[in-house]
Amino acid sequence: MAASLAKVYCILLVQSLPEPVVSAMLPQLQEVAEHELRMWHVGQRIEGPDIVERRVFLPIRK
Amino acid sequence: MSARYKAPTPGVIEQTGILQNVEIPEVHLSETGSAEVLLANYPWVVVLTQECDLQLDRFARLGLPQVDGKPPVAKDKKLRGILLCPAFLEENVLLGTYVEGGSKADNTTRKMMLSNRHERFHLLPAEVPTMQSPLVLDFKLITSAHPEFLLSLVRDHPEKVVAVICPPFRDRLMQRFLNYFGRIAEPGEG
């Protein structure tokens, strides 16, 4: 639902721009869109920090 | 192997060697009077200690000369720690999920990081089959491990050493790290 709505907004935005502007911006828009999509996919499977810590306590002889 | 990375020498710690899935012990003195051992598991670490220091440490520990016929390398060449820089998947660094409290990189920061112009980070591009995914080093998170600990790790688990970065990429990494580490901070700057 959100994806189709975003698509409609994108189409409306692109249609509102003059053609030379659209052709000049398309490569950059594509790069941004690909990056955001990749980040979204990665975000789905990432839960927390990559450094995993565990603690052990040892008595000290005095 | 590619031009950027080479196969590691088995059982040897090398400068810019890339190790994966390494658990490094850090010992602290707790308030209760016991020693607290924090075992931090890093997905990747890169060795930053100079190659010459690593070689001399190796010979000194074995009691061997560096050149045949010469006296053994003196024990004062033994190191107390080996400098390591953690590395993470590029995507996780860009999203800020690689570390607690991290934040997503904005477009400008992302471009700087990916072109190795952000002073805190260094990108290691993927090169199949050696490096399956691009990694990013965070110079702020450097840590160290005792040489004997690291040596036993690479001897017992040679599969943990993924590759070694080749010159000039190795030199570029070291240059960028030293530039970050040796920066002069002015009041109010991070």
Side-chain angles (χ1 to χ4, degrees):
Chain A
M1 178 65 184
S4 60
L5 196 62
K7 190 177 170 184
V8 170
Y9 281 137
C10 284
I11 291 168
L12 289 174
L13 179 68
V14 170
Q15 283 178 344
S16 71
L17 296 170
E19 197 174 321
V21 176
V22 174
S23 56
M25 284 177 64
L26 269 180
Q28 281 179 302
L29 281 174
Q30 187 175 349
E31 187 193 331
V32 171
E34 282 175 357
H35 171 73
E36 289 301 324
L37 189 66
R38 195 161 147 234
M39 291 297 103
W40 182 82
H41 279 296
V42 171
Q44 298 303 299
R45 61 176 170 82
I46 290 174
E47 290 176 357
D50 290 352
I51 303 172
V52 181
E53 295 177 336
R54 61 192 178 99
R55 289 165 196 271
V56 178
F57 291 93
L58 301 171
I60 296 179
R61 283 186 199 164
K62 292 186 179 173
Chain B
M1 281 282 167
S2 59
R4 190 180 289 267
Y5 307 103
K6 63 173 183 173
T9 309
V12 172
I13 305 162
E14 296 173 90
Q15 185 184 8
T16 64
I18 304 167
L19 285 74
Q20 67 176 355
N21 193 21
V22 179
E23 195 171 59
I24 310 251
E26 298 167 15
V27 182
H28 311 272
L29 193 63
S30 76
E31 290 174 1
T32 57
S34 44
E36 183 187 356
V37 183
L38 179 70
L39 296 154
N41 191 291
Y42 297 93
W44 287 274
V45 292
V46 179
V47 176
L48 293 183
T49 297
Q50 289 285 345
E51 188 63 36
C52 53
D53 286 338
L54 293 169
Q55 275 187 12
L56 286 172
D57 174 80
R58 197 158 56 240
F59 285 116
R61 282 177 198 283
L62 293 169
L64 294 173
Q66 204 173 8
V67 181
D68 286 341
K70 297 280 182 185
V73 171
K75 296 290 182 193
D76 70 341
K77 301 296 189 295
K78 283 165 66 174
L79 301 172
R80 301 287 301 169
I82 290 178
L83 197 59
L84 303 168
C85 185
F88 308 90
L89 282 177
E90 176 200 289
E91 291 94 338
N92 298 7
V93 176
L94 293 173
L95 278 171
T97 58
Y98 74 109
V99 70
E100 194 179 352
S103 56
K104 186 181 171 184
D106 59 33
N107 210 29
T108 310
T109 308
R110 181 176 71 92
K111 281 184 177 168
M112 285 181 73
M113 286 167 71
L114 297 183
S115 57
N116 270 341
R117 285 183 292 121
H118 196 300
E119 65 173 6
R120 177 174 164 176
F121 301 98
H122 188 84
L123 173 74
L124 296 178
E127 272 193 9
V128 177
T130 321
M131 292 276 281
Q132 298 293 329
S133 310
L135 302 181
V136 173
L137 281 78
D138 184 347
F139 293 143
K140 196 178 271 293
L141 303 183
I142 53 166
T143 183
S144 70
H146 194 277
E148 285 181 11
F149 168 80
L150 217 52
L151 200 56
S152 63
L153 186 82
V154 300
R155 279 180 183 159
D156 298 344
H157 302 280
E159 77 283 356
K160 284 188 181 283
V161 191
V162 180
V164 178
I165 306 170
C166 298
F169 308 102
R170 178 185 74 172
D171 310 316
R172 178 71 178 137
L173 163 62
M174 294 307 297
Q175 184 193 46
R176 293 202 68 239
F177 167 66
L178 292 171
N179 186 53
Y180 176 79
F181 198 62
R183 71 197 188 284
I184 300 166
E186 293 175 357
E189 287 187 357

